[in-house]
Amino acid sequence: MARPVFIVDGSRTPFLKARLGPGPFTPVDLAVQCGRPLLARQPFAPDSFDQVILGCVNVIADEMNPARVAALRLGMGEDMVAFTVQINCGSGMQSIDTAYRYIREGHADMILAGGTEALSHAPLVWPNAGVRWFAGLATAKGVAAKIASAFKLRPRYLKPIIGLERGLTDPVTDLNMGQTAEVAGHLFGITRAQSDAYAAESHRRLAHAQSAGYLKGEVETAFSRDGKFFDHDDGVRPDSTAETLAKLRPVFERPWGQVTAGNSSQITDGASWVILASDAAVAKHKLTPKAAIVDSNWAALDPSIMGLGPVMSVTPLLQRNDLAIKDVETWELNEAFATQVLGCLAAWNDAKFCREILGLDGAAGEIDRDRLNVDGGAISLGHPVGTSGNRIVLHLVNAMKRLGTRRGVATECIGGGLGGAMLIEAV
């Protein structure tokens, strides 16, 4: 029989907006910054875990398999099995899902599952022509051959390619993620005014959560090597309004597009961890679970409309558990783009779409906005790609506890045409 799986604790770093050049923390630095205080407050030793699973998309050359590097730096022991998972925006949730399945099936009792990303450390890449020129220079034999090879250099060979820009472009459709959001918004008639209003509300909600102390115990202060400290998500703009956001130009589809820098998720660095445990581990270490994972589901769709991934992954998840949208009291739907979030909400409320695509009898229903992303989301705090799926599960659990709700869903769209969803219940 499948065993129950509990989320007993978790923490994350502040999400730090990428600015000029690499930020103060690498992916492993970030994982360690929030991992240390999380492990320090547990009633068991760091080496008590069965394994460590960490989501990370932009792994840097100095930190291959960041899960293992982080586990060693966290003092979890040389015999700690640790591996890194990558499914684009779903990587942080994939780490939880993999851990959930290991524990559910009896192969482990306690796993540290996380996500980390330092998008500010995404590399500049040489053009292929430049790489070939350098290879020719390096392999040329003799002084004359090297001089001749050197003279073949062209200025365009040295023009760097922004690795992050290519990483956020789908290699099959050649659409970047912002363009896919435009497509999803166009399918359901989402307007620029709606997107800007949604984005402004995201900032307002995060600012309120910060001032009200709702993130206390979830966000750990991070300390850089030069002595600076970072104690809050620094991309929030409390003064944002639909009117001020309306002044920004479209980024991806000019001049008529809906997606701007103001109603998109921010390029950000951050990490998050959750501790998953079996009932045996809960009893052994006298832990107090915060929530239980009931089920999870992954789905795939056309990469050009990847933003509808939550619709495709959540719907069968709810059906499998005999639930409807109205039965879910708290929702975390990752805010990749305001237009994309609104497109998902419109899809569930569209009878024709639900019949023809989802196989339902009619519209699935409408998500009450007071139940959705109650403390803001990626538009206001950022979207470190490998981390966000972990953060939304962690925050969902904390928000449910604060609000006293019983059932929640965390879901996200995933670059490449995927979607992930997880059903959580309070205990």
Side-chain angles (χ1 to χ4, degrees), residues 294-309:
V294 177
D295 200 358
S296 62
N297 192 65
W298 302 87
L301 67 165
D302 185 333
S304 68
I305 51 172
M306 70 93 201
L308 299 179

Side-chain angles (χ1 to χ4, degrees), residues 24-382:
F25 305 105
T26 68
V28 170
D29 288 340
L30 291 162
V32 171
Q33 287 287 332
C34 58
R36 279 180 177 152
L38 174 63
L39 297 183
R41 66 175 177 246
Q42 303 309 316
F44 50 80
D47 61 0
S48 300
F49 290 91
D50 295 298
Q51 56 186 319
V52 175
I53 309 173
L54 183 66
C56 187
V57 178
N58 290 278
V59 177
I60 67 173
D62 293 332
E63 296 177 349
M64 290 295 109
N65 190 10
R68 174 63 173 168
V69 181
L72 290 172
R73 286 182 56 184
L74 287 169
M76 302 181 76
E78 294 180 356
D79 58 350
M80 181 62 62
V81 175
F83 60 92
T84 304
V85 295
Q86 204 271 64
I87 183 175
N88 283 344
C89 316
S91 302
M93 184 181 287
Q94 179 66 69
S95 72
I96 297 175
D97 191 43
T98 303
Y100 158 64
R101 294 171 190 273
Y102 272 123
I103 295 172
R104 185 187 67 179
E105 303 304 321
H107 301 301
D109 280 304
M110 199 160 59
I111 297 177
L112 181 64
T116 190
E117 202 75 73
L119 292 179
S120 69
H121 285 254
L124 294 176
V125 182
W126 271 25
N128 285 334
V131 174
R132 285 192 291 269
W133 170 82
F134 185 81
L137 178 64
T139 57
K141 305 297 184 182
V143 175
K146 286 191 178 293
I147 292 174
S149 181
F151 273 107
K152 295 178 182 179
L153 176 65
R154 300 293 181 268
R156 67 178 182 276
Y157 295 173
L158 303 180
K159 183 180 180 180
I161 298 168
I162 299 174
L164 182 60
E165 182 177 327
R166 295 309 303 159
L168 295 178
T169 300
D170 182 77
V172 176
T173 64
D174 204 33
L175 296 175
N176 62 48
M177 296 300 99
Q179 289 173 309
T180 68
E182 292 279 14
V183 174
H186 176 74
L187 288 173
F188 294 97
I190 306 303
T191 68
R192 169 70 185 274
Q194 289 173 316
S195 297
D196 288 342
Y198 182 93
E201 179 65 11
S202 178
H203 284 281
R204 188 197 69 77
R205 290 186 181 193
L206 176 58
H208 174 70
Q210 290 177 333
S211 63
Y214 294 161
L215 303 181
K216 185 178 181 181
E218 176 178 319
V219 178
E220 303 287 351
T221 301
F223 299 89
S224 62
R225 288 181 173 86
D226 61 1
K228 295 180 181 178
F229 70 92
F230 306 84
D231 61 358
H232 67 282
D233 306 308
D234 66 0
V236 62
R237 298 186 298 274
D239 57 347
S240 289
T241 65
E243 291 73 26
T244 58
L245 292 175
K247 298 175 183 179
L248 300 176
R249 297 175 62 190
V251 175
F252 304 104
E253 294 292 338
R254 294 178 178 174
W256 309 116
Q258 311 301 322
V259 180
T260 71
N263 58 38
S264 303
S265 57
Q266 302 176 38
I267 297 173
T268 313
D269 299 349
S272 174
W273 291 107
V274 296
I275 296 174
L276 285 80
S278 67
D279 48 0
V282 167
K284 177 181 178 180
H285 299 293
K286 297 181 174 58
L287 305 175
T288 303
K290 290 186 174 184
I293 300 176
V294 177
D295 200 358
S296 62
N297 192 65
W298 302 87
L301 67 165
D302 185 333
S304 68
I305 51 172
M306 70 93 201
L308 299 179
V311 179
M312 306 307 293
S313 57
V314 169
T315 304
L317 177 70
L318 295 181
Q319 289 179 307
R320 192 160 62 231
N321 290 276
D322 297 320
L323 298 171
I325 282 179
K326 62 181 176 60
D327 297 321
V328 180
E329 301 155 288
T330 313
W331 292 79
E332 283 288 323
L333 197 164
N334 190 47
E335 296 174 352
F337 305 91
T339 303
Q340 165 263 324
V341 174
L342 295 172
C344 289
L345 302 186
W348 271 312
N349 209 30
D350 186 292
K352 184 173 185 288
F353 178 90
C354 289
R355 283 195 302 268
E356 296 181 0
I357 305 301
L358 301 179
L360 304 178
D361 295 332
E366 188 170 359
I367 296 178
D368 186 340
R369 291 287 295 276
D370 289 337
R371 299 183 174 192
L372 175 68
N373 299 341
V374 294
D375 297 320
I379 289 172
S380 51
L381 62 84

